Amino acid sequence: MSANDDFFRSRKAAAVLKHGILKRYPVVFASKTGQGKRVVFLDGYAGRGEYEEEGEEGSPLLLSRCADTVRGFRSVLLFFVEKNPSHFANLQRVLEERGGSTRRILRQGDVADHLPEVLSVARQASLFAFLDPFGLALDFGLVRSGLLGRPSSPPTEVLLHFSVSAIARMGRAVQVARSRGSRLPPAEQKTADHLTRFLGDDWWQDHFARVNGDGDEETATEVALKVGAEYEKRLTAGTSYSAITMPVRPRPELSPKYVLMLFTRHTEGAWHFADALGQAGVDLEEARYKSQMSQDTLFGSLSFDRPAYVSSALPRVAQVVEQNIVQLLSESNPVQLAERVPEVYRGVLGQAWTRHARHAVKSLHRRGLIDHTGVGNFWKDPIRQL
């Protein structure tokens, strides 16, 4: 059994955040961008459609639910690609049984081979692409030229899973082999070529030069995170795109396993993605709570009081957002929050969402520090310091 097969047997804790986003954000994307035009949801590495042990919904079913949610007022086409033959067969069955009634196209093979068809059917459509490769099965050029290279209208957004653990493991292996001789063995050369194809060039090798040995996992992870930041910059360089990034950890004290990156041209897309991230963060806390309770006792309650959790965390999280807004206003007055999403949610991205930002703005207004009341779509408006 491959590691990929093992992943689809049960939903990993770190996947909860990703799936929490897929329950929410595509609905917003379709609602905001699909006026008068078709919307295409692409899942380029669709997998089995569900998790074998629990039967829980994977990304194809989550995107199908989003499409069904908006079908009364938006025209959505679902496009699923899966390379593994057994996973593809399972995907077909799951979507037939549980995939709803939205029109869909399924293709077996590599997403790069089917991208021309995707771009053809999405030529006059808004396109939301979810790329969640297992490891590094993705070409830099596919993202940079194929997707981010589309015309600015209709809109295109790409949600990408960047595997920190895979980059760290592979980069460390190449560096260790290189330190032992001037020529890489065939296996490590293949790994190096794979990394270069994924990252777009061999610039990553300079980053890994500080990794000294097989056991240097912590340093390799730190390097992989820096490689991810550089990868994001190289994808968006010379474009009108920016990225909202979220490192995802199995537990708060552990290193990130992957980084979610949303590439968008629009400030409102960034704002609503952060909103989905924050709400998905509560999903992750619930999953962690249930996992801990199931390990600690056979008799403990597995129920998670979501409203109570959100209410108890509200003052603490909103205070961080409030401090961030004050800092932004000290640097630029006025400020439009939707244009400064990473700064607004600095330190609490994945915990805070619009509710917390509204709470912060209202607090600042009550104290006579800003001119905006926090009513309405406050994130779109100029907010001035008084």
Side-chain angles (χ1 to χ4, degrees), residues 147-182:
L147 293 171
L148 302 188
R150 289 220 318 160
S152 59
S153 182
T156 301
E157 292 188 353
V158 177
L159 178 58
L160 172 68
H161 172 132
F162 180 91
S163 178
V164 175
S165 57
I167 293 286
R169 182 182 68 254
M170 296 169 72
R172 185 176 68 244
V174 172
Q175 174 59 23
V176 169
R178 179 169 282 114
S179 68
R180 294 171 178 166
S182 59

Side-chain angles (χ1 to χ4, degrees), residues 271-303:
W271 182 266
H272 288 295
F273 180 69
D275 193 76
L277 262 177
Q279 295 184 65
V282 183
D283 299 345
L284 181 56
E285 288 300 320
E286 180 175 5
R288 287 170 174 164
Y289 172 85
K290 290 182 176 179
S291 175
Q292 186 62 44
M293 290 300 298
S294 66
Q295 294 173 21
D296 286 349
T297 175
L298 295 175
F299 304 102
S301 171
L302 294 181
S303 64

